[in-house]
Each structure stands twice: as structure tokens, then as C-alpha cells.
Amino acid sequence: MPNEITLPVLDSSGVEVVESHLHPKASYALDDHLAPTGKEEVWRFTPLSRIASLLDAKSAVGPLKWAWDNDGDLVDLTEFPDAPPDEPSSCHAGDSPSRHSARSRRIHLAGTTTATTFGPLTIADAKALGTQAPFDRVAAAAFNGATEGLSIDVPAGAVLDAPIVIKAVGENKPAYGRTHISLGAAASATIVFDYSGLADYAEYLDVTLAAGAKLAFVSIQDWQAGAVHGGQHSFEVGPGAELKSVTVTLGGDLVRLMETVRYAGEGGHAEMFGVYFADAGQHQEHRLFIDQNQPKTVSRVDYRGALQGDGAHTVWVGDVLIRRNAHGIDSYEANKNLILTDGARADSVPNLEIETGNIVGAGHSSTTGRFDEEQLFYLMSRGISELEARRLVVQGFFFDIIRRIGVPQVEEHLQDAVNAELTRAAEAEARTNTNEQRSV
Amino acid sequence: MADLLISGLHVEVETETGPKEILKGVDLAVHTGEIHAIMGPNGSGKSTLAYALAGHPKYHITAGSAKLDGVELTELKVDERAKAGLFLGMQYPVEVPGVSVANFLRTAKTALDGGVAPKVRTWPKEVNAALARLDLEAAFASRSVNDGFSGGEKKRHEIAQLELLNPKVAVLDEIDSGLDIDAVKVVAEGINRYAAQGDRGVLLITHYTRILRYTTPDFVHVFVDGRVVEEGGTELAERLEVEGYEKFVKAAA
Ligand SMILES: Nc1ncnc2c1ncn2[C@@H]1O[C@H](COP(=O)(O)OP(=O)(O)O)[C@@H](O)[C@H]1O
Ligand SMILES: [Mg+2]
């Protein structure tokens, strides 16, 4: 028998490619990501005409209007001025200046003695940092075409008391983002990206957690009607590090996010939560890829969505790859959809690919259901109006996720947003009913 | 005043094979201060009567009327019937995940009081006291409505609601089923406290006579095949205890 050795195929981040449609091929080069035809498994749910502006790669596209919300005081991060003369690359003991451009801002956030750095991110910087390469054409277009990237670096050991909130506002034009967030060893932070306004936004956002780091990452897609947002949020979880990611998609015409997790050592934890609410005509697509590539790692995925109105369409894809070496991993993914009206459609596709049986657990569940008339009846039989009863049921549906966010201002915002969506729908329905009565 | 007057009530249920008539002309009058028991074999339509009174969307009233203090219930939406003073204690209370008992009770109380929220200072104490009377801990208020409750907890929670919301008339559907003997007592005492106000009405639907040892009805009705076939006092319940429903079922067939 010939003793052949097959060398593993590596992608441009040096990760072994498993031949499977579950496993997206990563590459920094735009040309490696062909424009989709719509027949590809990963594109078959997406209305390509509505995301065309993000697939047609351009160069030198500016960012959203970024601002760091420093307790109500908005600090612009869109352009980084040349280093101020009075503070030439100010370095504090313990800071590692070499990684950062002299144009970066170093800020001592509450609870820390070392500086968190906000700065630009060139393509060369991003590659040198060992980031994950773009997984699809939209992310590749953003990676290569963005003018000024953004890097946020929380130094090793820094435990931030308050969340870092980044307000990202679309200004009615195309925008590209090339963003990298890194948490040093044993650092701990909450970082919130709050997207609003109107934009065609292609995004590459990569996050690295070093050993023992803890990050709560929240991304809120609160776009105006008409906005288009696509691309990737990729996470690398270091040994013993803990990631909690919360993705909230409410607004926009189309949102299509690829969210990926891989591990850089044993014992990393990743909790991925999602809440989405699609109204008439909205397309919201969340594609998760959990690469269980290290032993004893844990992943939990729980996404919940509500849909109402004609043409509301949501897609949730949960791909989990358990590699041959990933002994002792534990993985569970769940997706639940609540369809509130006729004419809405939820697609939910969990996929598990298991290459080793030596694991603690791997499972998934996916349910899509209509509004439960029995729940409505029970609540209304206690005098609660139909609108209020619906609101309670939908709030209850999301509550299990919302209570786990752990960032009070985000929790409140979400409760309010869910209420507003339901009120709007009820008002629309009331209007239709009145019109119908009139036209009879 | 708490007068519930049901007359000539015909009800159909939606089934997979089309509508099916279940109630075939129910006449029943519950006057202020009275406790009535409805007893009947499984499948005779007792729950259908309860659901139809409360306005469950699957049950359609095709003829007849149900008036509570002169208000025609059959024309009202589910929540409006509750506001008119009707309460339905359900045989199978529905789980509402993610909605806490406290939130549910406050929302219901607010709705019944015309949108005026109960006092923050006194309401939680009232809730805790009502729960305690039914052997439910204060922590119960932070659990999701009926979600993961034991059979007994569900029924005791129904009676806690009865006491807190204090309607004019309570229709209690098999409130005693699935309870052990101690829990039956606790539930019966709750019903007695409610009835002891004197100006309320109770329609107690049950399959067994057991609960009637603790809550004494003024009137007993035997329900067979969608109608009341016999009426009497507590002696009728005692007879049923010994003889069962067979004689009535045969007579109705
Ligand atoms: N939702 C329903 N769908 C189909 N059949 C029903 C439904 N509800 C009640 N029924 C039928 O109506 C009859 C009476 O049921 P029910 O009112 O529950 O009786 P009871 O409470 O006296 O046991 C039974 O034959 C039952 O099968
Ligand atoms: Mg019954």
C-alpha cells in the first residue's frame, strides 16, 4: 500500500480548509471571492439585486461616521488627525506602542491604568495582526476598499468598568469598514457598535481575544429604512477566553451578516446571541459559522426572531464544524422564529459537521411557529387587551435572550424597540381595518 | 350584584372535519352570592361551556345568550368579558414563557382598573399575601406564567388570580383535577374566601365530588351531552358519588 501523505490545504490565514459547503474559504484577495450568481448554497436565500451595491467592489470608499460615545460626549473616530505636537506618541509604561500608528488616540478608560487605543487600521496592519481573512465578497470588498480602517485595542490586563459605545451613523452614501478589535490577555471589556442612519455599508470586522480575555460584544443594526448592510463579524477566541456576542437586527432594507468563531487554544467559550425583528419587506440574514477547531472549547448559539408584514424575510444559518482534533468540545445552537402575520417567511437551517466522536456534546434545535392563540386567549381572559397581550408574548419570547445581554442600556433599548415595532404593526392593522370598513 | 344568566346557549367547536355542535341549549342562572356546581362525565361539554362564556376563538356561539348583570357577554371580545366581571379558572392554564407572574398580574390589574396601575407601595404586598394564602412562595412571582409549574402550582396560581382580580363571577373549570388532597383544601379555602364576600357568584365545574366536601354548593347541576339534565342541592352530588353518571347518560341517549 503506498504510504501517501496528503498535505492539508490552507487558506490565507493558514487555517486548514475542510472540503465542505459549510466551510467558507477565507481570502484577503477580492478576486478569490467571485461575484455570486445566486445559485451558490451560501447565496441562495439572498435577494442579490438588493445587495448589488455591496458586491460591486469599489476602491477608496470612506467609513461610516464613527464616534466613540464618551459618556454623552461624542469623540470622532472617522479621521485620525496627525499626531498632536504636544503629545508625540505618548507612551505609558506597559503600553506597547509599536503596533499603533502615531495617529492613534490613547485613552485611559475608567478602571484601567493602561491606555486603550483607538486608531486607524491599514491593510498591512490588519494582515500583520494575524486577523481572519474575509469570508465573502462583501467583506473582501470592504477590507480592500476601505480608506481608513479602525482599530480598537484594549491592553492586556485592562478591566474596563463601562462599555465602549461606538455610534456608527450612515450618511446616505456607500461606506466601507475595515475594523479590528483586540483584547489583550486577561483584559475585560464590553463593546457596543450601534449602527443607524442610511447607508450601503460593506463591513469587515474582526475581533481577537487573547488568553483569558473576556469580551461582551454587541452589534445593533438600527438602520433607517432603505439601508443595506453586509459583511462579516469574525471572532477568534484565545485559550480560556470568553466571548459573549449579541447581534440585534431591527432596521434597514437588507442586513446580511456572516458571523464566525474560531479558537486560538483550548478551553475558549463563545456565546452567540441574536435578536431580530423583521417588518414588511425587510430581509435579515444571519449566517453563523462556528469552527470548533480546538479541544475543550464551548459554543452556544441562541438566535430569536419575530416577523410581521408582507415580504418580511429572515434567514438563520447555523453551521458548526467539529474538527478531528477538537476533543471534548461542547456545542449547542438554537434558533426560534415567531411569525406574527401572514406573508412573512423565516428560513432556519442548522448544520452540524462532526469529524470526531470524542466530544461532550453537540446539538441543535430550530423552531418556527405562528403566534399562539391560546396564550393570547389566556392573557385576554384576564382583561388584558389584544395589543398588550401580543406585546407581552413577544417580549416574553425575546426575554430569555435580552436578560442575558448584561448591558442595561442595551436591554432597555431593545425592550423599547420591540414595543415600538408591535405598536407600529397594530396601528397599521387598525388603519387597514378602518379602510376596509369604509370601502365596504 | 353578580347575576349570570345563561339561556338557550348553543355552541359549536371548530374541528378538523368542520364545526361540531357541543352545547345543545344550556339554561342556567347563577345569582348573586350563590355557588353552583356543574358535574358531568368526560366529554359532556363542561369545558366548552366555560370557554364559550369566556370567548375562546375556537368555540362559536350559534344561538342563545349569556348575560352578566344585564351585559350580553356573547357580543364582547375576550378582554371585554373580563372587564364586565367574568373570570375563567382554566382546566389547563396556558404557559407564557418570559412573562413573569408579577408582570402578568400587574398588567391584568391595570387593565381591569381602566388603565390605572395598582399602587407600587401596596400592590406587591397584596400579591405576596395572595400567593402565601395559596402556599406559594414570594419567589413564585418572578417565574414565567405557568411555565414549568407543577399541576398543583398552576391551579393555585389560578385561585391567587381569582382573589387578586376579584371578579363578579368566577367560572372554575376542573380546578380540583390533578391536585392532591392538601392542595384541594387550599384551593377550596381560596374559593370560600372569595365567595364569603357575599356579593359574588361561583360556577364550579367538576368531574368529582371531592372538592364539594370543602366548598359547599347551593345548587348542583348534572351536565350530559351538552345540556343540564338534572338540578338539585348537595344531595344530588351525594347521589352521583354513589351512583355515578351512568343513569343520566342512558336517559339522555
Ligand atoms: N377544540 C376541540 N376540537 C375538537 N373537539 C373538541 C374540542 N373541544 C371539545 N371538543 C369535543 O367536544 C366534546 C366536549 O368536550 P369538553 O367540553 O372538553 O368536555 P368536558 O369538559 O365535559 O370533558 C368532546 O367530545 C370533545 O372531544
Ligand atoms: Mg373539561
Side-chain angles (χ1 to χ4, degrees), chain A residues 201-422:
Chain A
Y201 182 50
E203 178 169 52
Y204 166 88
L205 184 147
D206 187 65
V207 181
T208 313
L209 281 73
K214 274 190 193 176
L215 173 65
F217 177 82
V218 182
S219 161
I220 305 172
Q221 286 66 243
D222 212 351
W223 300 105
Q224 273 176 31
V228 178
H229 179 190
Q232 87 182 45
H233 292 172
S234 46
F235 300 89
E236 184 178 84
V237 180
E242 288 174 30
L243 166 69
K244 173 158 74 178
S245 159
V246 184
T247 300
V248 179
T249 302
L250 302 168
D253 172 57
L254 178 146
V255 174
R256 184 187 190 277
L257 288 176
M258 167 106 209
E259 300 171 74
T260 71
V261 174
R262 74 179 187 199
Y263 301 85
E266 290 195 9
H269 277 242
E271 281 184 298
M272 311 293 288
F273 296 121
V275 167
Y276 48 90
F277 203 129
D279 285 317
Q282 282 187 300
H283 178 92
Q284 300 177 344
E285 184 166 347
H286 298 91
R287 310 185 65 91
L288 284 103
F289 174 59
I290 312 295
D291 191 346
Q292 220 82 53
N293 62 330
Q294 294 285 344
K296 296 186 180 147
T297 51
V298 176
S299 70
R300 290 285 179 271
V301 175
D302 197 344
Y303 275 57
R304 291 196 191 173
L307 299 84
Q308 64 185 5
D310 221 19
H313 186 197
T314 65
V315 179
W316 176 87
V317 177
D319 291 338
V320 177
L321 172 61
I322 299 168
R323 291 181 186 258
R324 221 162 317 165
N325 64 321
H327 295 168
I329 66 94
D330 188 0
S331 152
Y332 196 87
E333 50 167 358
N335 175 230
K336 273 192 197 171
N337 297 293
L338 183 58
I339 298 186
L340 302 176
T341 67
D342 287 337
R345 179 175 147 190
D347 286 295
S348 179
V349 189
N351 287 307
L352 260 177
E353 190 153 334
I354 305 182
E355 298 191 323
T356 173
N358 185 5
I359 60 174
V360 172
H364 59 76
S365 84
S366 155
T367 58
T368 296
R370 315 264 328 177
F371 210 89
D372 185 349
E373 295 294 332
E374 298 295 329
Q375 291 181 339
L376 214 55
F377 171 69
Y378 186 76
L379 296 171
M380 288 177 71
S381 77
R382 271 47 175 162
I384 299 169
S385 72
E386 180 170 350
L387 173 62
E388 189 80 3
R390 282 180 178 271
R391 192 178 285 170
L392 278 177
V393 170
V394 177
Q395 277 177 350
F397 173 74
F398 285 126
F399 178 73
D400 216 23
I401 305 273
I402 294 177
R403 73 182 170 85
R404 286 184 282 185
I405 294 176
V407 185
Q409 72 218 60
V410 173
E411 290 177 11
E412 269 165 45
H413 174 75
L414 256 176
Q415 302 272 23
D416 293 348
V418 168
N419 275 341
E421 296 272 4
L422 288 166

Side-chain angles (χ1 to χ4, degrees), chain B residues 98-161:
Chain B
V99 177
S100 70
V101 167
N103 187 8
F104 165 60
L105 292 173
R106 190 176 353 95
T107 308
K109 178 73 175 161
T110 305
L112 291 170
D113 288 354
V116 182
K119 287 206 176 66
V120 189
R121 220 159 37 83
T122 52
W123 178 249
K125 285 181 200 147
E126 277 180 57
V127 169
N128 285 346
L131 293 176
R133 282 195 295 271
L134 286 145
D135 276 356
L136 297 165
E137 298 168 19
F140 192 81
S142 53
R143 291 174 65 182
S144 290
V145 171
N146 294 319
D147 191 11
F149 289 10
S150 70
E153 283 172 335
K154 283 183 182 166
K155 298 301 177 69
R156 283 181 279 150
H157 176 225
E158 295 289 286
I159 299 303
Q161 292 172 53

Side-chain angles (χ1 to χ4, degrees), chain A residues 9 30 66 73 75 77 128 132 155 159 170 217 229 248 321 330 350 384:
Chain A
V9 182
L30 177 68
W66 299 116
D73 188 11
V75 180
L77 301 176
Q132 302 190 57
V159 176
F217 177 82
H229 179 190
V248 179
L321 172 61
D330 188 0
I384 299 169

Side-chain angles (χ1 to χ4, degrees), chain B residues 3-6 27-31 34 36 203 219 221 231:
Chain B
D3 288 333
L4 177 64
L5 306 176
I6 303 168
D27 296 301
L28 193 69
V30 178
H31 294 286
E34 294 174 354
H36 290 242
L203 191 57
F219 302 93
H221 312 263
E231 287 172 305

